[in-house]
Amino acid sequence: MAIDASRFYESAPRTEWVLTFEGALAHFVCPDPSARVEFARQVVAAAGEELSPDLELRSRGVTVRLAATFEAGGLPDAAADVAPRISAVAKELGLVADTAHLQTIQIAVDGGSGAVPFWQAVTGYERPEDADLIDPLRRAPGVWNQAVNDEREAPARLHIDISVSAVEAPRRVAAALEAGGRVVSDRFAPQWTTLADPDGNLVDIAAWPDLP
């Protein structure tokens, strides 16, 4: 069973958890290698059998992902219970959350579904049911195909989707405009805004998953 953002944030702190295409993400600053391993161990224990969190241990800290799944049709119901338990573990260990760089990047191929087998072959990705192509290690950006017919001046064949929090999205848009980009379409804002770089390459900044 899937839950929406409102249900998730009834228990999970917004200051620590961000919802993106991939699910619920949190990053806890932890420069000590031994402390990272101990935190990861306690996160797994706190999650129990309800949910299996993805953990990425890097030199600056630990990123936790409670993944949205095709089977659940989104963020699993258990995430609302597991997220606050993980936050409690971090607090007990004195770890501070940092949401500034949490995001999900996805490569979108503009075209029909006939190209999906090609992209699956060249990437070596998995394709759960009829879902997007997914890195088996859940690290690299996903790839998905979409049919595009939006009367663009010069239709691109690839574009990038960047999923961030609703708080971060307007900052990214403003920074992109400052850096020479332009808004191609904001008719779906604040769910997503389509931007173009000076050469016309497209990026969607999407924040719809965790809108209040």
Side-chain angles (χ1 to χ4, degrees), residues 77-91:
D77 182 72
D81 297 320
V82 172
R85 294 207 294 265
I86 293 174
S87 291
V89 169
K91 183 177 181 180

Side-chain angles (χ1 to χ4, degrees), residues 84-182:
R85 294 207 294 265
I86 293 174
S87 291
V89 169
K91 183 177 181 180
E92 184 175 338
L93 295 178
L95 304 184
V96 177
D98 179 7
T99 63
H101 304 292
L102 292 173
Q103 62 183 7
T104 295
I105 296 178
Q106 181 171 255
I107 300 170
V109 181
D110 299 346
S113 60
V116 173
F118 170 83
W119 287 98
Q120 184 172 9
V122 297
T123 60
Y125 278 12
E126 298 175 345
R127 190 186 186 196
E129 301 292 337
D130 292 323
D132 305 337
L133 299 178
I134 300 173
D135 174 16
L137 299 180
R138 304 301 193 266
R139 294 185 64 244
V143 176
W144 75 299
N145 288 69
Q146 64 173 2
V148 175
N149 183 20
D150 54 6
E151 300 179 355
R152 295 176 188 166
E153 298 172 5
R157 302 310 297 168
L158 290 171
H159 73 267
I160 304 297
D161 292 331
I162 301 179
S163 178
V164 295
S165 72
V167 173
E168 180 63 18
R171 298 174 185 165
R172 294 290 180 94
V173 171
L177 297 179
E178 182 68 23
R182 62 185 175 86

Side-chain angles (χ1 to χ4, degrees), residues 25-78:
L25 305 177
H27 178 81
F28 297 95
V29 178
C30 186
D32 181 81
S34 298
R36 290 197 293 271
V37 173
E38 175 59 20
F39 174 58
R41 185 191 69 80
Q42 292 196 35
V43 164
V44 172
E49 298 182 359
E50 295 180 68
L51 201 61
S52 179
D54 293 330
L55 294 162
E56 188 169 356
L57 282 65
R58 297 279 181 166
S59 60
R60 295 177 61 182
V62 179
T63 301
V64 184
R65 176 174 54 197
L66 306 179
T69 65
F70 180 83
E71 293 80 6
L75 191 64
D77 182 72

